[in-house]
C-alpha cells in the first residue's frame, strides 16, 4: 500500500475512534445533565405545589377544586411533569389532567399509570423519575418519564453528531490535501535518489519542499553535488596518475632498449643508466605518495593522535631539510610568540611529513629567505611558511592543494595535496596566498590543545 493511502487510512481510523468515544461520552454526560436538571425542577415544582396545598388545607378548600398550576418553570423545564396525590390510605385522590394552563405553566401532560403498583414497578425499573413530598392531604408524587428525557438528549446528540460528521468530512478533505502536499515532494525525492543510485549525479535536481523534508531534500541535492565532484576528482586522479607513471616508464623503457640494442655506447650508457635510476626513484616516490594519499582518505586508524609541541616539530623539520637549504644557500628565519603554549593534538609523524612537504616546496621557490612564524591567533595555533620567491600564479592558486597540480619546478604534484589531507585529518585548516613583499605564504591553523586539570 502506498504511503499516502496508509496515512489517510490511519487518520480516518483514528478520527472514527475519537468521534465514537466522544459520542459515547457526550451521550452519558448529556443524559446525566438532563436528569439532574429535571430533578431540580421537580424539587422546585414540588415545593411550590406543597405550599399551595398547605394553604388550601388551611382554608378548608377541597383538593379537587384547587388548580395545580405553578408559574416560572416553563423556560427551565426539560420534560413533562405529572402529579399524583394520595390520601393517608394510599388511594389516588387527584392526578393532573392535561389542561392548557398546566401545560403552559410547567405542570405538564403526563398521564399517571393505571395503578400505584404498576407505577412503583416502573419507577424501580428506571422508567420514571419521581419526587415524593408529604402534604396535609396525604402524599404528593411528581413523575417524569425517563423516555422523554432520553428523546430530548438523543435529539440533541443527533444534531451534535451531524456537526461532528460535517467536521470530520472537512478534516478528511484537509488530510487528503495535506498528505498530497507532503507525499508529492517525497515522490520527487525518490526519483532523484534513483538518479544517485544510477550514478547520474549531474542530473539530480533540487526538490522544493518545506520543513524537515526540505532540509532532507537539500541534503540530497548537496550530496549529489559532492558525489559528482568526487567522481570528477577520481577520474582526474586516475588520468593524472597514469600520465605521471607513464612518463618515467617510457624513459626507463627507452633507455633500457637502447642499451640492450647497443645504440648507446661509452659514456652514453652511463648517462642512460643514471636516467633509469632517476626515473625509477621518481616513480617510486609517486607510488609511495599515492599510497599514502589513499591511506589518508580511507583508513581511520592510520592516525595516532597525541600532544605535539609545534616549536619542537618546526625545529626537527629544519634539521631534516637543512642539507637542501645549505645546498641552495637559503636562510631560514624562525619567530615564535612570547611565552605561548603552542601545543596541538595531532599525529606527530604525519604532521612532520606535512611540514617537510610545505618547507620543501618553499625551498624550491625561494630566492634567499624562508620565514617560519608560529603563534596564537584568535585562540588557534597558527603556523605560516613564506618565501621570497616568485609567488603563486593567480591561475594556480585555487587548485594548489589538488592532486597532481604542479607549479614551476614541481615534482610529483602530490606533496601539498598530502599536506592538506594530513592537516585536515589533524583538525586543522591549510590555506595559501601571496605576500605583499613577493613570494608565497602557506598558513596552517590548529585548535589549541589544553591539558585537563587534575583536581
Amino acid at each position: 500500500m502506498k504511503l499516502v493511502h496508509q496515512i489517510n487510512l490511519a487518520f480516518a481510523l483514528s478520527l472514527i475512534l475519537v468521534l465514537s468515544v466522544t459520542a459515547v461520552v457526550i451521550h452519558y454526560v448529556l443524559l446525566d445533565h438532563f436528569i439532574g436538571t429535571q430533578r431540580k425542577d421537580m424539587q422546585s415544582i414540588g415545593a411550590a405545589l406543597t405550599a399551595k396545598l398547605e394553604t388550601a388545607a388551611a382554608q378548608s378548600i377541597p383538593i379537587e377544586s384547587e388548580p395545580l398550576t405553578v408559574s416560572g418553570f416553563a423556560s427551565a423545564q426539560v420534560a413533562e411533569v405529572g402529579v399524583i396525590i394520595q390520601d393517608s390510605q394510599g388511594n389516588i385522590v387527584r392526578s393532573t389532567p392535561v389542561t392548557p394552563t398546566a401545560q403552559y405553566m410547567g405542570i405538564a401532560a403526563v398521564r399517571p399509570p393505571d395503578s400505584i403498583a404498576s407505577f412503583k414497578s416502573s419507577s424501580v425499573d428506571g422508567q420514571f423519575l419521581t419526587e415524593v413530598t408529604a402534604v396535609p392531604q396525604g402524599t404528593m408524587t411528581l413523575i417524569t418519564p425517563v423516555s422523554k428525557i432520553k428523546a430530548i438528549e438523543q435529539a440533541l446528540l443527533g444534531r451534535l453528531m451531524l456537526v461532528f460528521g460535517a467536521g470530520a468530512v472537512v478534516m478528511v478533505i484537509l488530510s487528503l490535501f495535506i498528505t498530497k502536499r507532503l507525499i508529492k515532494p517525497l515522490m520527487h525525492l525518490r526519483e532523484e535518489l534513483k538518479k544517485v543510485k544510477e550514478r547520474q549525479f549531474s542530473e539530480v535536481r533540487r526538490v522544493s519542499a518545506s520543513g524537515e523534508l526540505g532540509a532532507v531534500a537539500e541534503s540530497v541535492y548537496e550530496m549529489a553535488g559532492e558525489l559528482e565532484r568526487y567522481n570528477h576528482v577520481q577520474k582526474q586522479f586516475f588520468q593524472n596518475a597514469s600520465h605521471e607513471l607513464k612518463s618515467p616508464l617510457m624513459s626507463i623503457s627507452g633507455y633500457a632498449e637502447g642499451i640492450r640494442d647497443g645504440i648507446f655506447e661509452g659514456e652514453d650508457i652511463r648517462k642512460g643508466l643514471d636516467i633509469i635510476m632517476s626515473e625509477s626513484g621518481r616513480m617510486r616516490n609517486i607510488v609511495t605518495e599515492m599510497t599514502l594519499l589513499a591511506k589518508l582518505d580511507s583508513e581511520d586508524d592510520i592516525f595516532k593522535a597525541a600532544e605535539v609541541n609545534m616549536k619542537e616539530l618546526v625545529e626537527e623539520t629544519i634539521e631534516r631539510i637543512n642539507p637542501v637549504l645549505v645546498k641552495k644557500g637559503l636562510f631560514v628565519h624562525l619567530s615564535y610568540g612570547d611565552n605561548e603554549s603552542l601545543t596541538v593534538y595531532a599525529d606527530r609523524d604525519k604532521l612532520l611529513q606535512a611540514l617537510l612537504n610545505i618547507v620543501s616546496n618553499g625551498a624550491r621557490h625561494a630566492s634567499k629567505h624562508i620565514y617560519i612564524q608560529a603563534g596564537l591567533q584568535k585562540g588557534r595555533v597558527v603556523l605560516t611558511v613564506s618565501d621570497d620567491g616568485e609567488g603563486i600564479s593567480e591561475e594556480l592558486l585555487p587548485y594548489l592543494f589538488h592532486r597532481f597540480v604542479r607549479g614551476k619546478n614541481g615534482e610529483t604534484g602530490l606533496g601539498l595535496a598530502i599536506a592538506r589531507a594530513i592537516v585536515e585529518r589533524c583538525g586543522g585548516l591549510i590555506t595559501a596566498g601571496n605576500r605583499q613583499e613577493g613570494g608565497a605564504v602557506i598558513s596552517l591553523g590548529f585548535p589549541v590543545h589544553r591539558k585537563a586539570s587534575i583536581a
Side-chain angles (χ1 to χ4, degrees), residues 54 80 98 138 163 212 237 267 360:
E54 288 177 351
E80 300 171 342
V98 179
V163 174
E212 289 79 1
F237 173 80
E267 188 65 23
S360 298

Side-chain angles (χ1 to χ4, degrees), residues 22-88:
T22 303
V24 172
V25 172
I26 290 178
H27 164 68
Y28 286 105
V29 170
L30 284 177
L31 186 59
D32 184 69
H33 171 72
F34 286 150
I35 289 176
T37 302
Q38 186 68 12
R39 286 189 183 278
K40 291 180 181 179
D41 288 346
M42 292 171 67
Q43 290 173 359
S44 300
I45 293 171
L49 290 177
T50 299
K52 181 173 289 192
L53 291 174
E54 288 177 351
T55 302
Q59 297 176 359
S60 301
I61 300 175
I63 191 173
E64 293 80 2
S65 61
E66 176 65 22
L68 299 179
T69 58
V70 181
S71 61
F73 292 94
S75 61
Q77 181 184 356
V78 175
E80 300 171 342
V81 179
V83 179
I84 298 176
I85 299 177
Q86 300 170 275
D87 58 17
S88 57

Side-chain angles (χ1 to χ4, degrees), residues 311-430:
K311 293 182 180 180
E312 297 176 358
L313 198 65
V314 169
E315 291 172 359
E316 184 174 349
T317 302
I318 299 303
E319 289 178 3
R320 293 205 180 186
I321 206 172
N322 191 55
V324 176
L325 300 176
V326 173
K327 182 178 179 180
K328 297 190 66 175
L330 300 176
F331 299 94
V332 177
H333 306 273
L334 299 175
S335 63
Y336 305 105
D338 297 334
N339 301 320
E340 292 178 337
S341 174
L342 302 178
T343 303
V344 299
Y345 193 69
D347 187 312
R348 192 180 190 283
D349 294 337
K350 301 297 186 300
L351 194 53
L352 177 61
Q353 178 66 47
L355 288 180
L356 286 171
N357 291 354
I358 293 171
V359 177
S360 298
N361 183 76
R364 281 195 298 271
H365 297 89
S367 298
K368 283 292 182 181
H369 302 280
I370 295 177
Y371 306 92
I372 301 178
Q373 298 176 330
L376 287 176
Q377 296 182 13
K378 297 181 179 179
R380 293 174 64 86
V381 175
V382 178
L383 177 69
T384 59
V385 179
S386 56
D387 59 70
D388 61 348
E390 70 278 6
I392 307 169
S393 65
E394 295 297 329
E395 295 80 10
L396 182 62
L397 192 58
Y399 313 102
L400 185 64
F401 297 106
H402 289 195
R403 300 171 184 184
F404 295 108
V405 174
R406 289 188 299 178
K408 185 179 179 181
N409 301 326
E411 292 183 348
T412 63
L414 294 174
L416 291 181
I418 291 174
R420 183 185 70 170
I422 292 173
V423 170
E424 291 179 352
R425 286 291 296 272
C426 292
L429 179 66
I430 185 170

Side-chain angles (χ1 to χ4, degrees), residues 9 15 29 45 96 138 149 213 221 257 272 278 290 299 303-304 310 325-326 347 359 362-363 384 430:
L9 180 60
L15 187 61
V29 170
I45 293 171
T96 54
I149 299 177
L213 187 58
Y221 179 75
E257 290 178 0
S278 174
M290 287 174 60
E299 298 182 14
F303 273 75
K304 308 297 182 184
M310 292 298 291
L325 300 176
V326 173
D347 187 312
V359 177
T384 59
I430 185 170

